[in-house]
Amino acid sequence: MKNIIKGGLVLSAASMLASCSDSFLEQDPLSFYEPQATYTTEAGLQAALAKCDRSIKEIFMDGNGNVLPMASNYNMSDLGLYAKTDNWGSFQDNFDAILSPTSGLADGGDANAMMRYWNEAYNAIKYANTVLTYIDDVPGLDEKLRDEYKGRAYFHRAYKYYHLVLQYGNVPLVTKLPSSPKRDYHSTSKEAIFEMLVHDLEFAVNAVPLQKDMQYIGMVNKEACMILLAKCYLVTGQFAEAEKMCDELINNTGHSLMTAPFGTFVQSGNPDTWTVERNVMWDLMRGVNVCASDNKEMLMPILNFNAENFTQYLTMRAMQVHWSNQGAIRDKYGVYKDRWGEGMTFNYARTNGYYNAKYDWLRVMGRGIGCFRTSVHFNENIWNYDGEVDWQDLRHNREKGNWIEMNDIKYNNPNSAAHGQSMVLYAPEDFYGWKVEPEKNSDGTYKFDENGLCIGGEQYKLGDVDKEGNVIKEPLVAKGALLCSDTIRSWYPTPLWKNYVLDVTAENNRNANQFNGATNGSNGNMYLYRLAEAYLIRAEAKFYQGKAGAAAQDVNVIRQRANAKKMFTTVTIGDIMDERARELLYEEWRQAELCRVSWCLAMSGQPDEWGETYSKDNWDKQEGTDLSGGSYWFKRVTRCNIFNRADMMGEGIRSNDRALRYIVNKRNLFWPVPNSAITANSEAPLAQNYGYHGYDAATPMWTNWEEAVANE
């Protein structure tokens, strides 16, 4: 059995690095000072690498309970929307207007955590550079071990620059620790940086051992280096090399897709309410199984399971539908709240007098406040083939319990005459009021039968005379009336197999009425990489070489494992990206990956799913909000989501009668380089991205990474 890195190693890293100066491009941005004595020992190198290991988690997990930093990579994508509608006037109204070098790049809070990606990336790059700076001065290391350390440091630096470039474009390249304050960095072109990443990762692939040859799980292994190198090969147009790298990873590293249930079975919170029939996709995503000895699919994990090294990751709060929204959801009779102010669906604790294990949606779905919602494209379109919805696919399977539609949820307030009935978005029939109300208990709650349905009750009809002698001429609630006033936040389905985490803290407290996800004591392990992505990267590599039929075979491997109905004989890039969405939701950084694919399409000349091609000259240099032109990213967010689409806003997408615009600009393909970084680099100009204030095509920039490194 492999050992898993424990928090002690990470804590030692934190203590040894406590004397660090400010991180890159923050208060004193371009100054790195590290005590030389610390890093001329092997223990010092291990501490720096441990800090790098931890940074993989910390860059997108900050403990924020409302909007997780990871959601910032989905807020302007084809798969999701910022949905916290009570934060009105914030990010969701007009991304284009708010996202600028001086604003919109929040580091946490309720809107986004874009700035966190900049700060944390350069902070981790500092520690990787620490290893590379001092390793040749550490005595007693043989060449093999020295190269392993270097390879891991190269991976960490490459992982951060991979995402920095795909989020922020041309950025400063920092590979050394300056011996004195340096404020005259120039940006390095994104093309040059990726050439360096390929160079470094080729070294890492040859130097770092496979996981099966390592004592610990959680450190960088060869498999992680291989898949990141394959993705960098794609960006640099080396499509055949990317395919070969994936061949090696898939065929010769001892890994395989999991095709049957394995590990520990974790139920759905309360099987009396919602039962999960054990299946491979459910088992695959449970934290306790990520590092299980029989999990052959895991390439490298993100460890988040013990108190010493734990960051809360509240997927069941921030990303789950606000199913208990008392101010937005009415029952079928148009009732919002009962006489005590409780909603028609509410999250009561197990000690509540209303508690009924048949309707314990809280423990099944979590608290759910809908900060981030999935798009109609993800919720519906990608599961629909020629007019037929694929409910067989395990990733979209309600019978197995992996997926929950809103009408699977039952009204659970016994003061609602609709108690025990399925939630509905539109009134199923005209309701004129009660001629005879359903029977009630002595405390005023409705009586209900063994099926949870209210007993008795007779409705008025059109033309009846009510108790005051008035002829009823119109319904209180008309058939077809919308029963949810915030369908952005409070009405969308749940991919439970991805979102569910057993909240151990809440489960152990019978008074708890919030189940949020990975709280302290819970197992919040996740995947950094798993083998399924290698198949999809190989499919891309084949597609860019014009081998769409061969690419379909790799997509079909993933679909067969999920028991999907339709298999492909050929694929478009849209088919591959849809499969990534079905398989890798919340595992991939969607904004960055859409940017990468936009770049790859321009490099390859291959068309997108709409038959459009892109030019290497301007794929990243367009501006405007009209639906013509733009990058592949822009095509996806405007054609597969509601961005810039006034014609789509009438399809039940509403928030308390507010007109939400959801506007993005073609320039938002890249986020703006933060103004704080530009002003702090006071002795030389940094390049701003096209379309943002401060952009100047004449800004000097390194186009050769070796020259940029030499200038440091």
Side-chain angles (χ1 to χ4, degrees):
M1 178 179 293
K2 297 288 184 181
N3 295 313
I4 296 175
I5 295 177
K6 299 295 184 182
L9 181 58
V10 178
L11 284 178
S12 68
S15 63
M16 298 186 87
L17 299 174
S19 59
C20 299
S21 67
D22 296 324
S23 59
F24 180 59
L25 296 183
E26 286 185 304
Q27 300 301 317
D28 186 11
L30 305 177
S31 304
F32 296 157
Y33 299 111
E34 302 291 354
Q36 291 189 10
T38 300
Y39 299 109
T40 53
T41 66
E42 185 175 3
L45 296 180
Q46 291 173 341
L49 281 175
K51 187 67 176 175
C52 290
D53 291 335
R54 184 168 180 172
S55 74
I56 287 177
K57 176 180 66 174
E58 290 181 333
I59 198 167
F60 70 89
M61 293 170 62
D62 66 349
N64 185 307
N66 284 342
V67 175
L68 307 172
M70 176 58 89
S72 297
N73 265 273
Y74 286 82
N75 282 336
M76 293 190 296
S77 77
D78 53 343
L79 301 186
L81 296 165
Y82 179 67
K84 201 166 185 292
T85 51
D86 60 354
N87 196 25
W88 180 247
S90 179
F91 210 46
Q92 82 277 26
D93 186 42
N94 190 334
F95 289 71
D96 179 40
I98 292 175
L99 189 58
S100 74
T102 55
S103 65
L105 290 169
D107 188 3
D110 280 353
N112 68 78
M114 292 177 177
M115 191 69 191
R116 182 176 183 83
Y117 285 100
W118 180 279
N119 292 337
E120 292 297 323
Y122 276 113
N123 192 44
I125 287 167
K126 173 179 63 178
Y127 292 106
N129 286 340
T130 298
V131 174
L132 296 169
T133 297
Y134 290 106
I135 190 166
D136 289 332
D137 297 327
V138 177
L141 297 181
D142 61 37
E143 184 177 0
K144 181 176 180 294
L145 182 57
R146 191 181 306 273
D147 285 350
E148 283 185 26
Y149 282 132
K150 286 183 178 179
R152 290 191 174 99
Y154 279 139
F155 170 86
H156 281 296
R157 191 169 71 185
Y159 182 80
K160 299 307 187 296
Y161 269 117
Y162 175 91
H163 292 104
L164 265 176
V165 169
L166 294 175
Q167 291 168 324
Y168 288 99
N170 309 311
V171 299
L173 180 61
V174 181
T175 67
K176 301 176 182 177
L177 298 179
S179 57
S180 61
K182 181 174 173 60
R183 298 182 176 86
D184 62 348
Y185 284 92
H186 288 281
S187 300
T188 299
S189 73
K190 53 186 177 292
E191 294 83 0
I193 292 176
F194 265 94
E195 288 173 5
M196 186 192 79
L197 302 190
V198 167
H199 171 272
D200 291 351
L201 287 168
E202 286 178 338
F203 178 94
V205 164
N206 290 319
V208 178
L210 290 168
Q211 181 63 70
K212 65 183 180 63
D213 298 323
M214 293 168 53
Q215 181 180 1
Y216 293 102
I217 294 175
M219 297 169 62
V220 173
N221 55 32
K222 182 187 292 288
E223 294 94 315
C225 298
M226 293 172 77
I227 194 168
L228 184 57
L229 176 56
K231 295 167 87 166
C232 291
Y233 277 146
L234 292 181
V235 172
T236 56
Q238 300 178 73
F239 305 128
E241 292 302 314
E243 181 181 351
K244 291 177 185 176
M245 184 57 59
C246 289
D247 286 342
E248 180 70 16
L249 178 54
I250 291 169
N251 299 327
N252 297 319
T253 59
H255 292 275
S256 58
L257 293 181
M258 301 305 296
T259 57
F262 70 98
T264 301
F265 180 50
V266 180
Q267 250 298 349
S268 65
N270 187 358
D272 292 332
T273 302
W274 185 259
T275 302
V276 171
E277 182 181 330
R278 192 171 188 183
N279 62 88
V280 64
M281 300 310 294
W282 181 267
D283 283 351
L284 193 64
M285 286 299 115
R286 307 287 65 81
V288 68
N289 293 332
V290 168
C291 296
S293 59
D294 52 348
N295 186 351
K296 303 304 182 185
E297 185 166 339
M298 184 270 288
L299 300 180
M300 183 174 169
I302 299 173
L303 301 180
N304 193 40
F305 70 98
N306 65 72
E308 292 181 336
N309 180 24
F310 184 85
T311 303
Q312 68 173 10
Y313 192 57
L314 306 185
T315 56
M316 296 177 68
R317 171 183 167 88
M319 295 180 177
Q320 207 82 312
V321 63
H322 196 357
W323 58 272
S324 61
N325 192 339
Q326 297 187 4
I329 296 175
R330 291 182 283 172
D331 69 12
K332 61 185 287 188
Y333 305 111
V335 179
Y336 279 104
K337 298 181 180 180
D338 65 18
R339 55 185 171 149
W340 292 284
E342 298 287 0
M344 296 300 98
T345 50
F346 69 107
N347 48 315
Y348 43 56
R350 282 163 284 175
T351 54
N352 188 295
Y354 291 164
Y355 181 77
N356 185 331
K358 290 177 60 177
Y359 307 115
D360 187 2
W361 295 102
L362 172 64
R363 289 165 69 212
V364 171
M365 299 183 63
R367 171 71 173 88
I369 62 170
C371 296
F372 167 83
R373 66 158 287 151
T374 42
S375 66
V376 173
H377 182 70
F378 176 81
N379 297 336
E380 299 178 14
N381 299 346
I382 64 174
W383 311 104
N384 192 313
Y385 306 98
D386 303 320
E388 181 182 6
V389 178
D390 185 359
W391 295 109
Q392 175 179 299
D393 191 315
L394 286 173
R395 300 164 299 186
H396 188 235
N397 195 308
R398 297 159 77 186
E399 289 187 0
K400 298 292 186 182
N402 288 354
W403 183 279
I404 300 177
E405 289 285 325
M406 291 300 292
N407 60 9
D408 291 320
I409 305 170
K410 314 297 184 185
Y411 298 108
N412 65 353
N413 187 337
N415 289 300
S416 166
H419 181 274
Q421 299 178 30
S422 296
M423 290 176 61
V424 289
L425 182 58
Y426 299 101
E429 58 190 18
D430 290 337
F431 176 64
Y432 296 92
W434 293 108
K435 181 181 293 185
V436 177
E437 277 199 279
E439 297 179 27
K440 290 187 176 182
N441 298 304
S442 58
D443 63 358
T445 60
Y446 286 105
K447 290 183 178 180
F448 49 90
D449 60 23
E450 66 278 4
N451 297 314
L453 303 180
C454 283
I455 299 172
E458 180 183 353
Q459 295 183 37
Y460 285 112
K461 301 186 296 297
L462 182 66
D464 283 349
V465 177
D466 66 17
K467 296 172 183 176
E468 285 73 36
N470 301 309
V471 178
I472 294 176
K473 298 180 179 179
E474 59 184 39
L476 296 174
V477 179
K479 181 179 180 179
L482 186 64
L483 298 175
C484 178
S485 61
D486 191 345
T487 54
I488 291 175
R489 190 174 187 181
S490 297
W491 202 275
Y492 56 93
T494 295
L496 194 67
W497 73 286
K498 273 296 178 95
N499 287 8
Y500 180 76
V501 178
L502 175 60
D503 186 336
V504 171
T505 302
E507 183 63 27
N508 291 336
N509 177 12
R510 292 187 60 81
N511 292 314
N513 66 348
Q514 293 201 30
F515 282 68
N516 291 321
T519 55
N520 203 355
S522 305
N523 191 312
N525 285 346
M526 294 166 288
Y527 297 98
L528 182 66
Y529 296 121
R530 56 186 174 94
L531 193 65
E533 186 174 10
Y535 281 95
L536 296 174
I537 291 296
R538 188 169 69 177
E540 272 193 68
K542 293 175 180 177
F543 174 82
Y544 298 136
Q545 297 175 76
K547 302 185 293 185
Q553 296 174 12
D554 280 328
V555 175
N556 285 343
V557 170
I558 303 303
R559 296 182 60 73
Q560 287 165 353
R561 189 267 293 277
N563 196 34
K565 273 190 176 183
K566 177 183 174 66
M567 297 296 142
F568 296 109
T569 56
T570 186
V571 289
T572 66
I573 190 63
D575 294 325
I576 297 173
M577 292 308 290
D578 285 349
E579 198 62 32
R580 286 187 70 92
R582 285 183 283 263
E583 185 72 18
L584 299 174
L585 181 72
Y586 306 144
E587 294 180 65
E588 64 172 345
W589 296 19
R590 189 67 176 188
Q591 172 96 8
E593 294 302 306
L594 281 173
C595 181
R596 178 186 60 75
V597 174
S598 300
W599 194 346
C600 291
L601 286 173
M603 293 285 288
S604 70
Q606 292 294 329
D608 64 18
E609 57 263 44
W610 302 287
E612 299 185 44
T613 56
Y614 301 87
S615 169
K616 289 186 286 186
D617 297 330
N618 70 349
W619 71 274
D620 58 343
K621 293 182 176 63
Q622 297 185 50
E623 190 173 7
T625 59
D626 60 288
L627 299 183
S628 62
S631 63
Y632 180 66
W633 163 81
F634 187 75
K635 291 285 193 291
R636 289 283 295 194
V637 299
T638 54
R639 293 184 179 181
C640 300
N641 212 330
I642 63 173
F643 291 106
N644 304 4
R645 295 289 299 272
D647 60 307
M648 294 183 68
M649 295 303 285
E651 298 180 2
I653 307 296
R654 304 181 61 185
S655 174
N656 300 316
D657 296 321
R658 293 166 171 164
L660 297 180
R661 292 175 288 179
Y662 286 100
I663 296 173
V664 296
N665 195 304
K666 296 165 190 173
R667 67 187 176 193
N668 300 145
L669 166 70
F670 289 114
W671 301 340
V673 174
N675 189 65
S676 58
I678 293 173
T679 57
N681 195 57
S682 56
E683 297 175 19
L686 294 180
Q688 183 53 270
N689 286 318
Y690 179 88
Y692 294 104
H693 178 73
Y695 170 75
D696 183 351
T699 301
M701 185 187 312
W702 296 109
T703 57
N704 179 293
W705 69 268
E706 291 159 310
E707 292 178 357
V709 170
N711 184 257
E712 289 185 74

